[in-house]
Amino acid sequence: MTFLETRELGKAYGQAQILKDISLSVERGDVLALIGPTGSGKTTLLRLINLLDEPSEGSVIFDGVNITALPEKEKIRARRRMAMVFQKPVMFKGSVRENISFGLNVRKMGDPRKVDESLRAVGLDSFGSRIASTLSGGEMQRTALARALVLEPELLLLDEPTANLDPKSAASIDRLIHDLSRKTTVIMATHNMQQCHRLADRVAVIREGRLTGLGRPEEVLAAVMKQDESFSLPSVTW
Amino acid sequence: MEEIWNGLLKAVELIARLDPVVVEITARSLFISLTSAFLAALICIPLGGFIEFRSFWGKRAIVNLIQTLYGLPTVTVGLLVFLLISRSGPLGGLHLLFSPAGMIIGQTILVSPVMTGLTISALAGVSPQIKETAKSLGASEAQVILTVIKEARPAVMAAVLLGFGRALSEVGVAMMVGGNIQGYTRVLTTAIALNTSMGDLELSMALGIILITLSLAINLVLGKVQGW
Ligand SMILES: Nc1ncnc2c1ncn2[C@@H]1O[C@H](COP(=O)(O)OP(=O)(O)OP(=O)(O)O)[C@@H](O)[C@H]1O
Ligand SMILES: [Mg+2]
């Protein structure tokens, strides 16, 4: 059964139509990559799926339920089965450990061992007691990832998860996402074609708010390259 | 000049040997103003949260009104509370006039606008991304609000401290509602006013020094809190 589906999803801010007619689906355990140039609407789409914004049209079907139509109380329940890592993560006041515990605490499921585990997973073993606001950009991004991973979400929404990282930590995060994808469904926005190739089971191309391609990475990327001269595989990013 | 200098020395002596009258008045002042600030915090922090987090008709106007009331003249509040609790007023039956309880009511009202307004500013200062991060990590609406209050804690603490400072240093409510009754409602400010007019400058100066020191201490704590 399709795990997550968007049906003719659209979002407008006043006169500006940011997303239009996005219909796509993700199977349980798949990694779907959203690629597209800057400003094309990738973040907006992730936010709609995470129920942070109301769509202007269409709906999001999550595990068979139209979650965009739910009352706020039940939206929280749906949201608690997902976790999103923002493009520019912000840290709560307090330590890295407190940041990572946040989601567990709001679920009244605090568990120090899980926190340790996820610190280790993102390579921040020794950072637990650091004040989160003193972290570097890349460390914050990894903390934000751990903060989501610790929740063992069924659906993980990642917005440019390796954009602020050096190649080595980016590769280790890629590996992490790859391992994760055996039990978790992942939707990941990225500019990075190689990352798409390595990690994605399916790729959705978004341009100016519209879905212009959907399929297996090699098909979609080949089609994109044919369409767009400016872009070839050696230039890894969009 | 001579007289003032001698008075100052005597004032310091009064403080140094913990003169019972000085201690008693200081303790009462602290008790009444701390209680007022505490009660006001109990009301103003949730009220500020409510105003900041809800959208409702007339919100802008209410925030404006609250900010206008920051400088609410203390004698106006004194008069208002006097009318409220005097024998023929709506709360006359409670016999609160010329009692510490009456003063606490008055000071609580007096500092509420500042405390509420500054709480609203403090909460509004928390970035919207914090709210969204909390929400996306599964926080309920109440948990999001709690998170924002936690993030704004230093600024909210500052709001409470400023309210406490205003309560401690005001004289209008204390005089009009408290009545400056010796051993019962006499506090630092009313005692200074009375003793100065009666020519007892030593006691006045002693109490004045204490009042200034307390204000400085509040400011010091304020500085510390804002550094958090
Ligand atoms: N709240 C908003 N109000 C108005 N316009 C918005 C708002 N949020 C996003 N937009 C616009 O919607 C468009 C899509 O933005 P979005 O952040 O989804 O792009 P993106 O694909 O994630 O880009 P990037 O790769 O740079 O992160 C942009 O033109 C952006 O300016
Ligand atoms: Mg984006």
Side-chain angles (χ1 to χ4, degrees):
Chain A
M1 192 181 75
T2 300
F3 186 50
L4 183 105
E5 190 185 343
T6 66
R7 288 192 190 151
E8 287 147 36
L9 204 57
K11 179 72 187 172
Y13 287 107
Q15 291 294 315
Q17 188 76 38
I18 305 298
L19 274 184
K20 189 151 179 67
D21 217 7
I22 305 286
S23 298
L24 47 77
S25 58
V26 191
E27 301 302 315
R28 210 183 255 277
D30 269 6
V31 176
L32 172 73
L34 305 174
I35 60 167
T38 192
S40 56
K42 304 180 293 294
T43 299
T44 307
L45 179 54
L46 290 175
R47 292 175 57 88
L48 290 178
I49 296 171
N50 198 209
L51 302 177
L52 292 175
D53 293 325
E54 294 262 333
S56 315
E57 308 99 38
S59 49
V60 178
I61 318 294
F62 178 52
D63 205 9
V65 177
N66 177 357
I67 54 173
T68 38
L70 293 175
E72 186 54 34
K73 267 230 165 64
E74 288 166 47
K75 279 187 181 170
I76 292 167
R77 260 199 282 162
R79 229 187 260 118
R80 285 188 177 179
R81 298 173 61 187
M82 331 174 179
M84 175 155 168
V85 180
F86 293 93
Q87 195 163 2
K88 287 199 195 106
V90 294
M91 296 289 120
F92 299 115
K93 282 210 168 101
S95 66
V96 169
R97 179 169 271 285
E98 284 170 288
N99 265 273
I100 295 177
S101 312
F102 185 92
L104 292 174
N105 290 342
V106 299
R107 289 165 176 73
K108 315 236 178 319
M109 285 169 39
D111 184 345
R113 268 171 317 166
K114 280 191 183 169
V115 176
D116 286 332
E117 228 169 86
S118 59
L119 274 169
R120 216 171 310 126
V122 297
L124 291 175
D125 319 45
S126 57
F127 283 70
S129 52
R130 267 280 288 281
I131 298 300
S133 59
T134 66
L135 296 176
S136 75
E139 288 160 357
M140 275 190 200
Q141 198 151 24
R142 284 190 278 163
T143 303
L145 188 60
R147 191 165 63 179
L149 288 181
V150 76
L151 301 171
E152 297 169 352
E154 293 171 62
L155 176 64
L156 184 61
L157 305 168
L158 302 173
D159 199 351
E160 305 276 356
T162 55
N164 295 327
L165 302 181
D166 62 77
K168 193 162 158 253
S169 7
S172 83
I173 295 300
D174 277 359
R175 256 195 314 280
L176 186 68
I177 297 170
H178 183 78
D179 295 345
L180 213 72
S181 64
R182 261 174 286 169
K183 41 180 185 165
T184 308
T185 310
V186 180
I187 304 179
M188 171 180 73
T190 180
H191 292 132
N192 188 317
M193 296 292 167
Q194 282 190 343
Q195 195 178 33
C196 262
H197 242 298
R198 271 197 309 270
L199 296 176
D201 299 294
R202 308 229 304 153
V203 177
V205 185
I206 299 179
R207 279 169 176 266
E208 294 172 7
R210 286 172 180 276
L211 190 65
T212 60
L214 180 64
R216 290 154 51 76
E218 47 284 9
E219 302 161 7
V220 171
L221 297 180
V224 167
M225 282 192 297
K226 219 176 279 170
Q227 240 174 42
D228 189 340
E229 297 289 313
S230 69
F231 159 126
S232 60
L233 204 54
S235 70
V236 228
T237 55
W238 203 287
Chain B
M1 199 60 213
E2 177 82 16
E3 194 188 354
I4 296 178
W5 183 244
N6 283 336
L8 199 59
L9 286 179
K10 289 232 175 78
V12 173
E13 195 198 316
L14 279 178
I15 298 171
R17 68 172 156 80
L18 297 176
D19 177 81
V21 174
V22 171
V23 170
E24 185 224 89
I25 292 176
T26 306
R28 181 173 307 111
S29 237
L30 283 173
F31 170 73
I32 290 176
S33 299
L34 272 172
T35 309
S36 306
F38 179 74
L39 288 179
L42 284 187
I43 299 165
C44 298
I45 296 174
L47 181 65
F50 182 84
I51 294 173
E52 169 61 19
F53 290 113
R54 295 290 153 129
S55 38
F56 50 87
W57 188 87
K59 177 168 167 168
R60 200 53 252 158
I62 288 182
V63 174
N64 276 333
L65 178 70
I66 290 172
Q67 286 170 345
T68 312
L69 294 178
Y70 280 10
L72 199 60
T74 60
V75 283
T76 324
V77 179
L79 176 63
L80 182 87
V81 177
F82 184 92
L83 294 174
L84 214 60
I85 65 179
S86 68
R87 193 166 307 177
S88 52
L91 301 179
L94 300 177
H95 304 291
L96 294 170
L97 193 59
F98 305 135
S99 75
M103 294 166 76
I104 289 171
I105 294 175
Q107 291 191 349
T108 303
I109 294 174
L110 178 74
V111 304
S112 284
V114 192
M115 232 188 250
T116 308
L118 292 179
T119 299
I120 293 173
S121 312
L123 299 178
V126 173
S127 83
Q129 284 102 300
I130 285 285
K131 276 178 243 182
E132 297 209 313
T133 304
K135 208 168 155 184
S136 88
L137 290 170
S140 66
E141 202 189 349
Q143 289 170 327
V144 171
I145 293 176
L146 215 67
T147 305
V148 172
I149 293 178
K150 265 194 201 157
E151 291 287 314
R153 202 165 35 195
V156 172
M157 288 277 290
V160 175
L161 276 171
L162 278 169
F164 171 53
R166 180 153 158 82
L168 192 67
S169 58
E170 73 83 27
V171 59
V173 171
M175 193 68 97
M176 294 165 75
V177 178
N180 197 17
I181 301 167
Q182 185 175 16
Y184 187 46
T185 59
R186 184 163 299 173
V187 290
L188 286 170
T189 52
T190 56
I192 292 170
L194 178 75
N195 288 301
T196 305
S197 67
M198 294 200 326
D200 186 352
L201 290 183
E202 292 160 22
L203 187 55
S204 275
M205 280 195 264
L207 298 176
I209 291 169
I210 291 174
L211 192 56
I212 290 177
T213 312
L214 287 173
S215 298
L216 282 176
I218 292 174
N219 260 314
L220 269 174
V221 177
L222 209 64
K224 272 263 188 305
V225 160
Q226 272 156 344
W228 286 354

